[in-house]
Amino acid sequence: MKLPAKSWPDVDWQSVNRILVENTDFKDYIELMPTYYQTGRVCARDWNK
């Protein structure tokens, strides 16, 4: 199933929850987002597993 590549002003939490169920690696990504959003820094060891 392909998801459209569109920019949305708000998070589609229903889609996020569906992806979390289908892809457990996505959970790690979601957990890293608040740190990136607040600091703008990317820790390579966390993102490049």
Short mmCIF file of all heavy atoms in Angstrom, two decimals:
data_model
loop_
_atom_site.label_atom_id
_atom_site.label_comp_id
_atom_site.label_asym_id
_atom_site.label_seq_id
_atom_site.Cartn_x
_atom_site.Cartn_y
_atom_site.Cartn_z
N MET A 1 0.85 -1.19 0.00
CA MET A 1 0.00 0.00 0.00
C MET A 1 0.88 1.24 0.00
O MET A 1 1.81 1.36 0.79
CB MET A 1 -0.89 -0.02 1.24
CG MET A 1 -1.75 1.17 1.36
SD MET A 1 -2.81 0.98 2.81
CE MET A 1 -3.51 2.57 2.86
N LYS A 2 0.61 2.15 -0.87
CA LYS A 2 1.38 3.40 -0.95
C LYS A 2 0.62 4.51 -0.24
O LYS A 2 -0.60 4.60 -0.31
CB LYS A 2 1.61 3.79 -2.40
CG LYS A 2 2.51 2.83 -3.13
CD LYS A 2 2.78 3.34 -4.51
CE LYS A 2 3.70 2.38 -5.24
NZ LYS A 2 4.01 2.87 -6.57
N LEU A 3 1.38 5.33 0.46
CA LEU A 3 0.80 6.50 1.12
C LEU A 3 1.14 7.73 0.29
O LEU A 3 2.26 7.86 -0.19
CB LEU A 3 1.36 6.65 2.53
CG LEU A 3 1.07 5.51 3.50
CD1 LEU A 3 1.77 5.74 4.82
CD2 LEU A 3 -0.43 5.38 3.72
N PRO A 4 0.22 8.65 0.13
CA PRO A 4 0.51 9.85 -0.66
C PRO A 4 1.56 10.72 0.03
O PRO A 4 1.58 10.83 1.25
CB PRO A 4 -0.84 10.57 -0.73
CG PRO A 4 -1.62 10.05 0.42
CD PRO A 4 -1.12 8.66 0.69
N ALA A 5 2.44 11.29 -0.75
CA ALA A 5 3.50 12.15 -0.22
C ALA A 5 3.03 13.60 -0.26
O ALA A 5 3.40 14.37 -1.12
CB ALA A 5 4.78 11.97 -1.03
N LYS A 6 2.19 13.95 0.68
CA LYS A 6 1.66 15.30 0.77
C LYS A 6 2.06 15.90 2.10
O LYS A 6 2.21 15.20 3.09
CB LYS A 6 0.14 15.30 0.66
CG LYS A 6 -0.39 14.85 -0.69
CD LYS A 6 -1.90 14.91 -0.70
CE LYS A 6 -2.44 14.44 -2.02
NZ LYS A 6 -3.91 14.44 -2.03
N SER A 7 2.21 17.19 2.12
CA SER A 7 2.49 17.91 3.36
C SER A 7 1.16 18.26 4.03
O SER A 7 0.25 18.80 3.39
CB SER A 7 3.27 19.17 3.04
OG SER A 7 3.50 19.90 4.22
N TRP A 8 1.05 17.93 5.31
CA TRP A 8 -0.16 18.22 6.05
C TRP A 8 0.19 19.12 7.24
O TRP A 8 1.19 18.92 7.89
CB TRP A 8 -0.79 16.94 6.58
CG TRP A 8 -1.20 16.00 5.49
CD1 TRP A 8 -0.49 14.95 5.03
CD2 TRP A 8 -2.39 16.04 4.71
NE1 TRP A 8 -1.16 14.32 4.02
CE2 TRP A 8 -2.35 14.98 3.80
CE3 TRP A 8 -3.50 16.87 4.70
CZ2 TRP A 8 -3.35 14.73 2.89
CZ3 TRP A 8 -4.51 16.62 3.79
CH2 TRP A 8 -4.43 15.56 2.90
N PRO A 9 -0.66 20.11 7.54
CA PRO A 9 -0.35 21.01 8.65
C PRO A 9 -0.49 20.34 10.02
O PRO A 9 0.13 20.77 10.98
CB PRO A 9 -1.38 22.14 8.49
CG PRO A 9 -2.49 21.53 7.71
CD PRO A 9 -1.86 20.47 6.82
N ASP A 10 -1.28 19.28 10.11
CA ASP A 10 -1.50 18.59 11.37
C ASP A 10 -1.12 17.12 11.22
O ASP A 10 -1.13 16.57 10.13
CB ASP A 10 -2.97 18.68 11.80
CG ASP A 10 -3.41 20.11 12.04
OD1 ASP A 10 -2.67 20.86 12.71
OD2 ASP A 10 -4.49 20.49 11.56
N VAL A 11 -0.79 16.51 12.34
CA VAL A 11 -0.44 15.09 12.34
C VAL A 11 -1.72 14.26 12.21
O VAL A 11 -2.70 14.52 12.90
CB VAL A 11 0.30 14.72 13.65
CG1 VAL A 11 0.54 13.23 13.73
CG2 VAL A 11 1.60 15.49 13.76
N ASP A 12 -1.69 13.29 11.35
CA ASP A 12 -2.80 12.35 11.20
C ASP A 12 -2.53 11.20 12.16
O ASP A 12 -1.88 10.22 11.82
CB ASP A 12 -2.87 11.87 9.75
CG ASP A 12 -3.97 10.84 9.52
OD1 ASP A 12 -4.68 10.48 10.49
OD2 ASP A 12 -4.12 10.39 8.37
N TRP A 13 -3.01 11.33 13.40
CA TRP A 13 -2.69 10.35 14.44
C TRP A 13 -3.25 8.97 14.14
O TRP A 13 -2.69 7.97 14.55
CB TRP A 13 -3.14 10.86 15.80
CG TRP A 13 -2.28 12.01 16.24
CD1 TRP A 13 -2.65 13.32 16.32
CD2 TRP A 13 -0.90 11.96 16.60
NE1 TRP A 13 -1.57 14.08 16.72
CE2 TRP A 13 -0.49 13.27 16.91
CE3 TRP A 13 0.03 10.93 16.70
CZ2 TRP A 13 0.81 13.58 17.29
CZ3 TRP A 13 1.33 11.24 17.09
CH2 TRP A 13 1.70 12.55 17.38
N GLN A 14 -4.34 8.91 13.43
CA GLN A 14 -4.89 7.61 13.05
C GLN A 14 -3.90 6.86 12.16
O GLN A 14 -3.66 5.68 12.35
CB GLN A 14 -6.23 7.79 12.34
CG GLN A 14 -6.90 6.47 11.98
CD GLN A 14 -8.26 6.68 11.34
OE1 GLN A 14 -8.72 7.80 11.14
NE2 GLN A 14 -8.90 5.59 11.01
N SER A 15 -3.29 7.57 11.22
CA SER A 15 -2.28 6.95 10.35
C SER A 15 -1.03 6.58 11.13
O SER A 15 -0.44 5.52 10.91
CB SER A 15 -1.91 7.88 9.19
OG SER A 15 -3.01 8.03 8.33
N VAL A 16 -0.61 7.46 12.04
CA VAL A 16 0.57 7.17 12.86
C VAL A 16 0.34 5.89 13.66
O VAL A 16 1.20 5.00 13.69
CB VAL A 16 0.91 8.35 13.80
CG1 VAL A 16 1.96 7.95 14.83
CG2 VAL A 16 1.36 9.55 12.99
N ASN A 17 -0.80 5.77 14.29
CA ASN A 17 -1.11 4.58 15.08
C ASN A 17 -1.15 3.32 14.21
O ASN A 17 -0.67 2.26 14.61
CB ASN A 17 -2.42 4.76 15.83
CG ASN A 17 -2.28 5.74 16.97
OD1 ASN A 17 -1.21 5.85 17.58
ND2 ASN A 17 -3.34 6.45 17.27
N ARG A 18 -1.69 3.44 13.01
CA ARG A 18 -1.74 2.29 12.10
C ARG A 18 -0.33 1.86 11.69
O ARG A 18 0.00 0.67 11.70
CB ARG A 18 -2.56 2.63 10.85
CG ARG A 18 -2.67 1.46 9.88
CD ARG A 18 -3.48 1.83 8.66
NE ARG A 18 -3.03 3.03 7.97
CZ ARG A 18 -2.00 3.08 7.13
NH1 ARG A 18 -1.31 2.00 6.86
NH2 ARG A 18 -1.67 4.22 6.56
N ILE A 19 0.52 2.83 11.39
CA ILE A 19 1.89 2.50 11.00
C ILE A 19 2.65 1.89 12.18
O ILE A 19 3.44 0.96 12.00
CB ILE A 19 2.62 3.75 10.46
CG1 ILE A 19 1.95 4.21 9.16
CG2 ILE A 19 4.10 3.45 10.22
CD1 ILE A 19 2.41 5.58 8.69
N LEU A 20 2.41 2.38 13.38
CA LEU A 20 3.06 1.80 14.57
C LEU A 20 2.72 0.32 14.73
O LEU A 20 3.57 -0.48 15.11
CB LEU A 20 2.66 2.55 15.83
CG LEU A 20 3.32 3.91 16.04
CD1 LEU A 20 2.63 4.65 17.17
CD2 LEU A 20 4.79 3.76 16.32
N VAL A 21 1.49 -0.03 14.44
CA VAL A 21 1.07 -1.43 14.54
C VAL A 21 1.74 -2.26 13.44
O VAL A 21 2.19 -3.37 13.68
CB VAL A 21 -0.47 -1.54 14.44
CG1 VAL A 21 -0.91 -2.98 14.28
CG2 VAL A 21 -1.11 -0.92 15.68
N GLU A 22 1.84 -1.70 12.24
CA GLU A 22 2.37 -2.44 11.10
C GLU A 22 3.90 -2.47 11.06
O GLU A 22 4.48 -3.37 10.47
CB GLU A 22 1.85 -1.82 9.80
CG GLU A 22 0.36 -1.98 9.63
CD GLU A 22 -0.16 -1.31 8.38
OE1 GLU A 22 0.64 -0.88 7.53
OE2 GLU A 22 -1.40 -1.23 8.24
N ASN A 23 4.56 -1.50 11.67
CA ASN A 23 6.02 -1.40 11.58
C ASN A 23 6.57 -0.95 12.93
O ASN A 23 6.57 0.23 13.26
CB ASN A 23 6.40 -0.39 10.48
CG ASN A 23 7.88 -0.25 10.30
OD1 ASN A 23 8.67 -0.76 11.07
ND2 ASN A 23 8.27 0.47 9.26
N THR A 24 7.09 -1.89 13.70
CA THR A 24 7.57 -1.57 15.05
C THR A 24 8.80 -0.67 15.04
O THR A 24 9.05 0.02 16.01
CB THR A 24 7.87 -2.86 15.84
OG1 THR A 24 8.79 -3.65 15.11
CG2 THR A 24 6.60 -3.66 16.09
N ASP A 25 9.57 -0.64 13.95
CA ASP A 25 10.71 0.28 13.86
C ASP A 25 10.24 1.73 13.87
O ASP A 25 10.97 2.63 14.30
CB ASP A 25 11.52 0.03 12.59
CG ASP A 25 12.26 -1.29 12.63
OD1 ASP A 25 12.53 -1.80 13.74
OD2 ASP A 25 12.56 -1.83 11.56
N PHE A 26 9.06 1.98 13.39
CA PHE A 26 8.51 3.33 13.36
C PHE A 26 8.35 3.89 14.76
O PHE A 26 8.48 5.10 14.98
CB PHE A 26 7.17 3.33 12.61
CG PHE A 26 6.62 4.69 12.32
CD1 PHE A 26 7.29 5.57 11.50
CD2 PHE A 26 5.41 5.08 12.86
CE1 PHE A 26 6.77 6.83 11.23
CE2 PHE A 26 4.87 6.33 12.60
CZ PHE A 26 5.56 7.21 11.77
N LYS A 27 8.12 3.03 15.74
CA LYS A 27 7.99 3.47 17.13
C LYS A 27 9.28 4.14 17.60
O LYS A 27 9.24 5.18 18.25
CB LYS A 27 7.65 2.29 18.03
CG LYS A 27 7.45 2.68 19.48
CD LYS A 27 7.07 1.50 20.35
CE LYS A 27 6.79 1.99 21.74
NZ LYS A 27 7.57 1.35 22.74
N ASP A 28 10.43 3.56 17.26
CA ASP A 28 11.72 4.17 17.63
C ASP A 28 11.84 5.57 17.02
O ASP A 28 12.29 6.51 17.66
CB ASP A 28 12.88 3.30 17.17
CG ASP A 28 12.91 1.96 17.87
OD1 ASP A 28 12.37 1.85 18.99
OD2 ASP A 28 13.47 1.01 17.29
N TYR A 29 11.44 5.69 15.76
CA TYR A 29 11.48 6.98 15.07
C TYR A 29 10.59 8.00 15.78
O TYR A 29 11.02 9.13 16.06
CB TYR A 29 11.04 6.78 13.62
CG TYR A 29 10.79 8.05 12.87
CD1 TYR A 29 11.83 8.81 12.36
CD2 TYR A 29 9.48 8.51 12.66
CE1 TYR A 29 11.59 9.98 11.67
CE2 TYR A 29 9.23 9.67 11.97
CZ TYR A 29 10.29 10.40 11.48
OH TYR A 29 10.05 11.55 10.79
N ILE A 30 9.38 7.61 16.09
CA ILE A 30 8.44 8.52 16.75
C ILE A 30 8.98 8.96 18.12
O ILE A 30 8.82 10.11 18.52
CB ILE A 30 7.05 7.86 16.89
CG1 ILE A 30 6.41 7.70 15.51
CG2 ILE A 30 6.13 8.65 17.82
CD1 ILE A 30 6.13 9.00 14.78
N GLU A 31 9.62 8.05 18.84
CA GLU A 31 10.16 8.40 20.15
C GLU A 31 11.33 9.38 20.06
O GLU A 31 11.59 10.14 20.99
CB GLU A 31 10.58 7.14 20.89
CG GLU A 31 9.38 6.31 21.34
CD GLU A 31 9.75 5.00 21.98
OE1 GLU A 31 10.92 4.59 21.90
OE2 GLU A 31 8.85 4.37 22.56
N LEU A 32 12.04 9.42 18.94
CA LEU A 32 13.16 10.35 18.76
C LEU A 32 12.71 11.74 18.31
O LEU A 32 13.43 12.72 18.47
CB LEU A 32 14.15 9.79 17.73
CG LEU A 32 14.92 8.55 18.15
CD1 LEU A 32 15.70 8.00 16.96
CD2 LEU A 32 15.86 8.86 19.29
N MET A 33 11.53 11.83 17.75
CA MET A 33 11.07 13.10 17.19
C MET A 33 10.99 14.26 18.18
O MET A 33 11.38 15.37 17.83
CB MET A 33 9.72 12.91 16.48
CG MET A 33 9.84 12.15 15.18
SD MET A 33 11.08 12.81 14.04
CE MET A 33 10.46 14.45 13.74
N PRO A 34 10.50 14.09 19.40
CA PRO A 34 10.44 15.25 20.31
C PRO A 34 11.81 15.88 20.57
O PRO A 34 11.94 17.10 20.61
CB PRO A 34 9.84 14.68 21.60
CG PRO A 34 9.09 13.47 21.16
CD PRO A 34 9.87 12.92 20.01
N THR A 35 12.83 15.05 20.73
CA THR A 35 14.18 15.58 20.96
C THR A 35 14.65 16.38 19.76
O THR A 35 15.17 17.49 19.89
CB THR A 35 15.17 14.43 21.25
OG1 THR A 35 14.72 13.74 22.41
CG2 THR A 35 16.58 14.96 21.50
N TYR A 36 14.46 15.83 18.56
CA TYR A 36 14.86 16.54 17.35
C TYR A 36 14.07 17.84 17.20
O TYR A 36 14.64 18.89 16.91
CB TYR A 36 14.68 15.66 16.12
CG TYR A 36 14.88 16.42 14.85
CD1 TYR A 36 16.16 16.81 14.45
CD2 TYR A 36 13.80 16.80 14.06
CE1 TYR A 36 16.35 17.54 13.31
CE2 TYR A 36 13.99 17.54 12.92
CZ TYR A 36 15.26 17.91 12.54
OH TYR A 36 15.45 18.64 11.41
N TYR A 37 12.78 17.78 17.41
CA TYR A 37 11.92 18.95 17.24
C TYR A 37 12.30 20.06 18.21
O TYR A 37 12.33 21.23 17.85
CB TYR A 37 10.46 18.56 17.45
CG TYR A 37 9.50 19.69 17.24
CD1 TYR A 37 9.22 20.18 15.97
CD2 TYR A 37 8.86 20.29 18.33
CE1 TYR A 37 8.35 21.23 15.78
CE2 TYR A 37 7.98 21.34 18.15
CZ TYR A 37 7.72 21.80 16.87
OH TYR A 37 6.86 22.84 16.70
N GLN A 38 12.64 19.70 19.46
CA GLN A 38 12.95 20.70 20.47
C GLN A 38 14.36 21.27 20.31
O GLN A 38 14.58 22.44 20.60
CB GLN A 38 12.80 20.11 21.87
CG GLN A 38 11.37 19.81 22.22
CD GLN A 38 11.22 19.05 23.54
OE1 GLN A 38 12.20 18.67 24.16
NE2 GLN A 38 9.99 18.83 23.95
N THR A 39 15.33 20.44 19.88
CA THR A 39 16.72 20.89 19.82
C THR A 39 17.24 21.12 18.41
O THR A 39 18.21 21.84 18.24
CB THR A 39 17.65 19.85 20.49
OG1 THR A 39 17.63 18.66 19.72
CG2 THR A 39 17.22 19.56 21.92
N GLY A 40 16.64 20.45 17.43
CA GLY A 40 17.13 20.55 16.05
C GLY A 40 18.37 19.71 15.81
O GLY A 40 18.93 19.71 14.73
N ARG A 41 18.80 18.98 16.85
CA ARG A 41 20.00 18.16 16.73
C ARG A 41 19.63 16.71 16.42
O ARG A 41 18.66 16.19 16.93
CB ARG A 41 20.82 18.21 18.01
CG ARG A 41 21.47 19.57 18.22
CD ARG A 41 22.28 19.58 19.47
NE ARG A 41 21.32 19.53 20.60
CZ ARG A 41 21.60 19.16 21.81
NH1 ARG A 41 22.82 18.81 22.12
NH2 ARG A 41 20.69 19.15 22.76
N VAL A 42 20.48 16.09 15.61
CA VAL A 42 20.31 14.68 15.28
C VAL A 42 21.50 13.93 15.84
O VAL A 42 22.65 14.29 15.58
CB VAL A 42 20.24 14.48 13.76
CG1 VAL A 42 20.20 13.01 13.42
CG2 VAL A 42 19.04 15.20 13.17
N CYS A 43 21.25 12.93 16.63
CA CYS A 43 22.31 12.08 17.18
C CYS A 43 22.44 10.88 16.24
O CYS A 43 21.57 10.02 16.20
CB CYS A 43 21.96 11.64 18.59
SG CYS A 43 23.26 10.69 19.36
N ALA A 44 23.53 10.83 15.48
CA ALA A 44 23.71 9.81 14.45
C ALA A 44 23.57 8.38 15.00
O ALA A 44 23.01 7.52 14.34
CB ALA A 44 25.06 9.99 13.76
N ARG A 45 24.05 8.15 16.20
CA ARG A 45 23.96 6.78 16.74
C ARG A 45 22.52 6.35 16.98
O ARG A 45 22.20 5.17 16.94
CB ARG A 45 24.80 6.63 18.01
CG ARG A 45 24.19 7.29 19.22
CD ARG A 45 24.95 6.92 20.49
NE ARG A 45 24.27 7.50 21.61
CZ ARG A 45 24.56 8.68 22.14
NH1 ARG A 45 25.55 9.39 21.64
NH2 ARG A 45 23.88 9.16 23.15
N ASP A 46 21.63 7.30 17.23
CA ASP A 46 20.22 6.98 17.42
C ASP A 46 19.49 6.80 16.08
O ASP A 46 18.63 5.96 15.95
CB ASP A 46 19.50 8.07 18.20
CG ASP A 46 19.93 8.12 19.65
OD1 ASP A 46 20.37 7.08 20.18
OD2 ASP A 46 19.83 9.19 20.28
N TRP A 47 19.84 7.60 15.10
CA TRP A 47 19.12 7.60 13.83
C TRP A 47 19.65 6.57 12.84
O TRP A 47 18.93 6.15 11.96
CB TRP A 47 19.17 8.98 13.19
CG TRP A 47 18.32 9.95 13.94
CD1 TRP A 47 18.69 10.72 15.00
CD2 TRP A 47 16.94 10.24 13.72
NE1 TRP A 47 17.63 11.47 15.44
CE2 TRP A 47 16.56 11.21 14.66
CE3 TRP A 47 16.00 9.81 12.78
CZ2 TRP A 47 15.27 11.72 14.71
CZ3 TRP A 47 14.73 10.33 12.83
CH2 TRP A 47 14.37 11.27 13.79
N ASN A 48 20.89 6.21 12.95
CA ASN A 48 21.51 5.32 11.96
C ASN A 48 21.77 3.94 12.53
O ASN A 48 22.90 3.48 12.58
CB ASN A 48 22.81 5.93 11.43
CG ASN A 48 22.57 7.23 10.71
OD1 ASN A 48 21.64 7.32 9.94
ND2 ASN A 48 23.42 8.21 10.94
N LYS A 49 20.74 3.27 12.95
CA LYS A 49 20.88 1.95 13.53
C LYS A 49 20.94 0.89 12.46
O LYS A 49 20.35 0.96 11.45
CB LYS A 49 19.72 1.66 14.49
CG LYS A 49 19.79 2.53 15.72
CD LYS A 49 18.67 2.19 16.67
CE LYS A 49 18.76 3.10 17.88
NZ LYS A 49 17.74 2.88 18.84
#
